[in-house]
Amino acid sequence: MAQVDKFQYDNDIVRKFLIASVVFGIIGMIVGLWVALQLIWPDLNFGIPFTTFGRIRPLHTNAVIFAFVGNGIFMGVYYSLPRLLKTPMWSKALSNFHFWGWQAIILAAAVTLPLGITSAHEYAELEWPIDLAIAVVWIAFGLNMFMTILKRREQHLYVAIWFYIATWVTVTMLHVGNNIEVPVSLWKSYPVAAGVQDALIQWWYGHNAVAFFLTTPYLGLMYYFMPKAANRPVYSYRLSIIHFWALIFIYIWAGPHHLLYTSLPDWAQSLGTVFSVMLIAPSWGGMLNGLLTLRGAWDRVRQDPVLKFLVVAITAYGMATFEGPMLSVKSVNAISHYTDWTIGHVHVGALGWNGFLTFGIMYWLIPRMYRTKLYSTQLANTHFWIGTLGILFYAIPMYWSGWTQALMWKQFTPDGYLKYANFLETVTQLRWFYIARALGGLMFLSGVFIMAYNLIKTARAGSFLAHEDAEAPPLAAHVTHKGEYWHKWIERRPVPFLLVSLVAVVIGGIIEIFPMALIKSNVPKIESVAPYTPLELEGRDIYIREGCMGCHSQMVRPFRSETERYGEYSKSGEYIYDRPFLWGSKRTGPDLHREGRGNKNSKSDAWHYNHMVVPQTMSPGSIMPAYPWLAKNELNTSRTADKIKVLKMLGTPYPQGYEQIAVQDLQKQAAQIAESMRKDGVQDDKLEQREIVALVAYLQRLGTDIIPKARAESK
Amino acid sequence: MKAIFLLIILSLILAAGFLAAFFWAVRSGQYDDDYTPSVRILFDDDTTGKSSVTNEKQ
């Protein structure tokens, strides 16, 4: 082949994503550290609504997942994809649109989340206008990627590319599937699915977001950068292909393991468990494949910080993918769920796998793109050790804390009573673990600062190669295999796959757009379960705004230790009007599903008032943040009618024309609660107009529908 | 539990899409050679880039 095409790789876009990843990584981790410190000193939110735990925890998770790791993915893809395909990215304009669009979305998240604008779906908190923006930017990325694949000069699609493709396709579907919502206003919407259905869709999303945003793209990066850094081919290319196909066929079915022992049907829970356990095989195959790439070169690991980071990252992947399936086994899950164990587990993955792989790639990329040597190998080694220790200091206390908490929750005295009947005891016990964890986080974060310094110094010393010259022969006209003629058609297009998948996504979307299909479910109906009153509904939306679900679950599992502590276990029929569902995933505070009036633990309205304003007055040593502004803010009822209208449209059986009298009803109920609070000594002339009255109305309603009427009234 | 069936159908469609992709890959000869690609990537981009600490080539 005489003719050779000359072209240039765009390093500038890689550098942009790299910088964004470092900057947002640092910000996201600082917020993480702040969140961790608030669990030791709740006052560290400085009494400002925007910085309370419930609002900035999602800020932390979104920042590290979508800003740090997200930009990290794009950095790696924009570097490796053109080189693997021997062609520049298809459109530089799209690359830049992708970059700036993504950063704009991150900024929108950084503003809206502290404002309490959230859908309450974990890792999908952003409200509908931002969801739309994400879809647009994501499609731009996909278009750019697929067109690049079409224009390639290399027939074979290296395994990393398959991982990128799977990432794009699946994330598209997940994002659409989990954000089917009906707007009430610009910054408020209700999901179409309610209760158990909403929970199921959310964790199908949540699980696969971990799989296809935090795992598959990073596996693609591993299969590219590990061989590059080690300068030897992957241990077994065949195994990597098997790894890919096995992983994507199994991963998608494991979602229900997030909902074990909840009101989800048993068979779905078992399905989730079986597939989760099966996942060990491909995951460990991939881990070994990555590590064995270093066969015969282990001595280099000692000298090369890049390899050090990659080795620990892949090892962390192995640990997390072993632990994940274990946590999916029902008996283990009964202990681990709702505790800090889960937090430990995700951070092994996040800090070890995602964090260290990203760092390793950055240490490899910057010297290459700046055509120089790394400024200081010693600093990189320091980063490596402080980071590794940071992971240990983080994970070990969290495991310990998780077990401590779980054992305390379940401990009975010989006479058959709960040994730690006061939940607060199980909270104060954990203080030292939280301190150790914050220290671990601080160490990890300091490492990132060291890296940033080292990379900046490296860049200063070198000269940036924005456009890297390359050349390759054009793709030979494709030779037709003898097979059936439609192959010819398919062979020339690496995108039938894209098309099929897009059709899949569209069909999925269409199915989901028929809300009726979702609403008339066969969740067992409980006659006494009624829609929320307007006041309770507003209170519920405040609960969502403040992010109370970040610390409180609303799902009593059918264990004796839980029914003793909270009351009757939760039934799926109780949630049919819950939009969104608020089961939560972590019990930093007690479960609240049986908090309402007439239940075993119920409290007076005034107790709640005082507890919300300063929790420590009612519960000394509590780490729940204070919410004094709820007792000052006036409840905004301007949207109440719209909310009722939307919910009615979605199938909540409010009477005909109810939205017109909803606010009147709301005021009536508020007056009753205000009166009850006043009787118990709360002083405030405008009490009935305060937000706190709505919140307390909601808390008092929780889990009360199944109490026989007679008992509820006599209480 | 309509949502479960919906999710199962969605996931099945996705799986079917991946299956089709798998067949395409196998039949179009993507996997006929399962060794060379792993070596080839190592020679992709050393037309200009000066070596870093880890790059032994050149």
Side-chain angles (χ1 to χ4, degrees), chain A residues 83 154-157 197 200 204 228 238 245 249 267 304 368 468-469 490 497 504 508 511 517 522, chain B residues 1-4 6 10-11 13 15 18 21-22 24 27 30-31 34 40-41 44-45 47-48 54-55:
Chain A
R83 286 167 171 81
E154 168 59 59
Q155 178 62 29
H156 180 79
L157 299 177
Q197 318 248 13
L200 188 60
W204 170 78
K228 284 297 226 184
R238 186 181 300 179
W245 292 105
F249 282 120
W267 64 266
D304 186 351
R368 300 210 120 213
E468 195 169 317
D469 290 318
I490 280 184
F497 162 54
I511 297 174
N522 34 17
Chain B
M1 289 304 306
K2 287 246 164 63
I4 292 200
L6 180 91
L10 268 181
S11 305
I13 294 173
F18 282 123
F22 177 67
W24 168 78
R27 300 182 103 149
Q30 281 283 330
Y31 299 145
D34 58 11
R40 189 167 47 220
I41 73 159
D44 268 349
D45 55 356
T47 36
T48 40
T54 59
N55 186 11

Side-chain angles (χ1 to χ4, degrees), chain A residues 223-499:
Chain A
Y223 277 122
Y224 182 80
F225 288 99
M226 183 68 180
K228 284 297 226 184
N231 199 21
R232 52 188 58 220
V234 65
Y235 172 65
S236 162
Y237 191 62
R238 186 181 300 179
L239 181 57
S240 74
I241 295 168
I242 297 171
H243 178 197
F244 172 76
W245 292 105
L247 197 74
I248 57 161
F249 282 120
I250 298 177
Y251 234 133
I252 197 97
W253 304 104
H257 67 210
H258 291 262
L259 298 170
L260 299 178
Y261 289 114
T262 64
S263 311
L264 192 70
D266 273 344
W267 64 266
Q269 298 186 21
S270 306
L271 180 88
T273 302
V274 170
F275 277 93
S276 306
V277 172
M278 279 162 62
L279 264 178
I280 292 188
S283 304
W284 274 54
M287 170 192 71
L288 292 175
N289 206 3
L291 289 179
L292 290 177
T293 299
L294 290 171
R295 68 202 175 287
W298 282 99
D299 52 309
R300 297 238 323 271
V301 176
R302 227 173 303 134
Q303 291 136 28
D304 186 351
V306 173
L307 292 180
K308 281 198 186 101
F309 277 103
L310 296 185
V311 165
V312 169
I314 297 170
T315 311
Y317 172 67
M319 278 158 52
T321 54
F322 173 74
E323 193 187 6
M326 291 302 109
L327 293 174
S328 309
V329 175
K330 276 186 128 183
S331 47
V332 180
N333 193 273
I335 301 170
S336 74
H337 197 46
Y338 295 128
T339 73
D340 287 319
W341 190 345
T342 311
I343 320 296
H345 170 63
V346 293
H347 281 84
V348 169
L351 304 177
W353 167 239
N354 295 116
F356 267 34
L357 201 74
T358 314
F359 303 150
I361 294 172
M362 287 170 173
Y363 280 120
W364 188 82
L365 276 179
I366 286 286
R368 300 210 120 213
M369 296 196 302
Y370 279 89
R371 293 176 293 174
T372 180
K373 280 200 157 87
L374 188 63
Y375 168 69
S376 163
T377 306
Q378 202 187 345
L379 278 182
N381 281 329
T382 314
H383 175 195
F384 172 79
W385 285 112
I386 200 171
T388 307
L389 280 177
I391 296 174
L392 294 176
F393 261 81
Y394 193 110
I396 294 169
M398 284 295 96
Y399 290 125
W400 201 336
S401 157
W403 294 323
T404 308
Q405 209 171 21
L407 293 178
M408 288 177 86
W409 288 347
K410 288 174 188 295
Q411 181 104 114
F412 281 94
T413 62
D415 321 333
Y417 295 104
L418 282 172
K419 178 139 185 233
Y420 305 97
N422 184 358
F423 189 90
L424 191 54
E425 287 179 78
T426 73
V427 175
T428 47
Q429 184 75 30
L430 308 179
R431 191 180 162 85
W432 282 104
F433 298 121
Y434 288 166
I435 291 175
R437 179 263 298 268
L439 198 67
L442 178 66
M443 290 163 77
F444 193 85
L445 175 64
S446 341
V448 184
F449 277 111
I450 296 174
M451 177 184 78
Y453 173 77
N454 203 353
L455 293 184
I456 291 171
K457 280 293 206 187
T458 309
R460 289 258 166 86
S463 73
F464 182 59
L465 185 65
H467 302 284
E468 195 169 317
D469 290 318
E471 53 185 41
L475 199 55
H478 196 69
V479 209
T480 331
H481 293 280
K482 33 187 179 355
E484 304 87 328
Y485 71 102
W486 60 272
H487 280 157
K488 246 195 294 183
W489 180 81
I490 280 184
E491 265 164 28
R492 297 231 190 86
R493 294 168 179 77
V495 274
F497 162 54
L498 161 70
L499 293 181

